[in-house]
């Protein structure tokens, strides 16, 4: 069993930046960030493989968000720049299977551990 704890959510103005962190209680393979806005389905934001050599992003955040990990600290980060009101959501950390690909990284079924989430609100 792996427990994931997110932090870093806040209310910021459009154009601002935030860095989210997710600490894992044990060893993890693929890590990802998902988000869920009110009334919408959970969607993949970004994912990173176990060594940090491969990263994947949703089209809506490419060029603005960066996912990274520090395995020595069992932590994955999401640096979010140039935030927009449509980025407002609960951001949830997930840990999944050893291997991901461009076509599967955002599939919910590829992840077997989930955090409780951290709220990000972007005001216009």
């Amino acid at each position: 069993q792996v427990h994931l704890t997110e932090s870093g959510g806040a209310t910021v103005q459009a154009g601002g930046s935030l860095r989210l962190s997710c600490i894992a209680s044990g060893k993890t393979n693929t890590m990802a960030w998902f988000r869920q806005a009110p009334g919408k389905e959970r969607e993949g934001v970004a994912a990173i493989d176990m060594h940090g050599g491969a990263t994947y992003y949703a089209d809506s955040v490419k060029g603005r968000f960066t996912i990274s990990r520090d395995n020595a600290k069992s932590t994955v980060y999401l640096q979010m720049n140039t935030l927009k009101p449509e980025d407002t959501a609960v951001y949830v950390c997930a840990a999944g299977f050893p291997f991901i690909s461009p076509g599967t990284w955002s599939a919910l079924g590829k992840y077997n551990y989930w955090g409780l989430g951290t709220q990000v609100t972007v005001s216009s």
Side-chain angles (χ1 to χ4, degrees):
Q1 186 77 14
V2 175
H3 295 283
L4 304 175
T5 304
E6 304 94 336
S7 63
T11 298
V12 297
Q13 289 190 333
S17 298
L18 280 176
R19 188 176 82 155
L20 305 183
S21 300
C22 172
I23 298 176
S25 64
K27 183 181 177 182
T28 57
N29 296 308
T30 300
M31 297 290 293
W33 287 96
F34 287 75
R35 67 186 180 186
Q36 188 162 16
K40 294 187 177 181
E41 294 185 352
R42 184 168 292 188
E43 63 173 355
V45 176
I48 187 167
D49 73 354
M50 60 189 303
H51 299 298
T55 57
Y56 303 94
Y57 296 93
D59 288 343
S60 59
V61 306
K62 280 181 182 176
R64 299 188 298 123
F65 291 11
T66 302
I67 189 170
S68 61
R69 66 190 297 165
D70 183 339
N71 289 337
K73 297 181 179 179
S74 299
T75 302
V76 64
Y77 305 97
L78 184 68
Q79 177 66 44
M80 305 187 296
N81 298 328
T82 318
L83 282 161
K84 304 175 181 180
E86 51 263 43
D87 294 319
T88 295
V90 175
Y91 283 72
V92 182
C93 178
F97 288 57
F99 303 105
I100 53 172
S101 67
T104 63
W105 72 267
S106 61
L108 299 179
K110 291 294 185 182
Y111 300 89
N112 43 10
Y113 298 109
W114 296 84
L116 296 179
T118 185
Q119 176 70 46
V120 172
T121 302
V122 184
S123 61
S124 57

